[in-house]
Amino acid sequence: MTYQAPGLDLSKATQGVRASRSSAPAGVISFKVTNTSKDTVHEMIVMHLKDPAQPLPYVVSDAKVDESKADDRGEVPDLAPGKSGTLTVTLEPGKYLLICNQPKHFAAGMWASFEVTR
């Protein structure tokens, strides 16, 4: 279920990120994040896609995106079930992914595309 995986079919994803909007104009953007899970810690990271045709760097042994090699623009870390947090960042136009990078979550489909427009 990872972004840009061949034959990707998100209808089979076991987890997901649901954004209320899929785009926003460039500048200061605030993300209010709520973990709706009843029993699992999640996070939300804004990843800039330098080349949207390429997958994010993934470390199979860790079952996570390699944040040190990706273009991480900020995050709401480790939200307990039912908890919320806010991230405010300044973003330039481009393609982004909103991901959870807890082990195995990204590969289970826990991401959403997000575009920042001019």
Side-chain angles (χ1 to χ4, degrees):
M1 296 294 137
T2 56
Y3 177 76
Q4 292 295 16
L8 180 66
D9 181 359
L10 280 179
S11 69
K12 297 177 182 171
T14 58
Q15 297 186 40
V17 170
R18 186 175 60 238
S20 62
R21 297 174 58 178
S22 61
S23 67
V28 177
I29 300 171
S30 290
F31 295 91
K32 182 175 183 201
V33 181
T34 301
N35 179 356
T36 59
S37 170
K38 298 202 184 305
D39 59 5
T40 305
V41 171
H42 292 294
E43 64 185 354
M44 194 279 299
I45 305 173
V46 178
M47 293 286 187
H48 179 242
L49 299 174
K50 292 177 186 176
D51 181 352
Q54 296 299 313
L56 291 175
Y58 192 78
V59 180
V60 174
S61 61
D62 293 338
K64 295 172 67 170
V65 170
D66 185 343
E67 293 178 41
S68 70
K69 293 182 181 174
D71 195 357
D72 177 344
R73 297 299 177 94
E75 69 180 273
V76 176
D78 299 343
L79 287 173
K83 298 298 180 185
S84 296
T86 301
L87 170 67
T88 300
V89 290
T90 301
L91 299 176
E92 69 271 4
K95 304 278 186 181
Y96 296 80
L97 282 184
L98 309 177
I99 75 166
C100 178
N101 205 28
Q102 296 291 330
K104 300 182 182 177
H105 291 197
F106 178 70
M110 200 157 188
W111 56 270
S113 297
F114 190 79
E115 183 172 8
V116 176
T117 60
R118 295 195 182 278

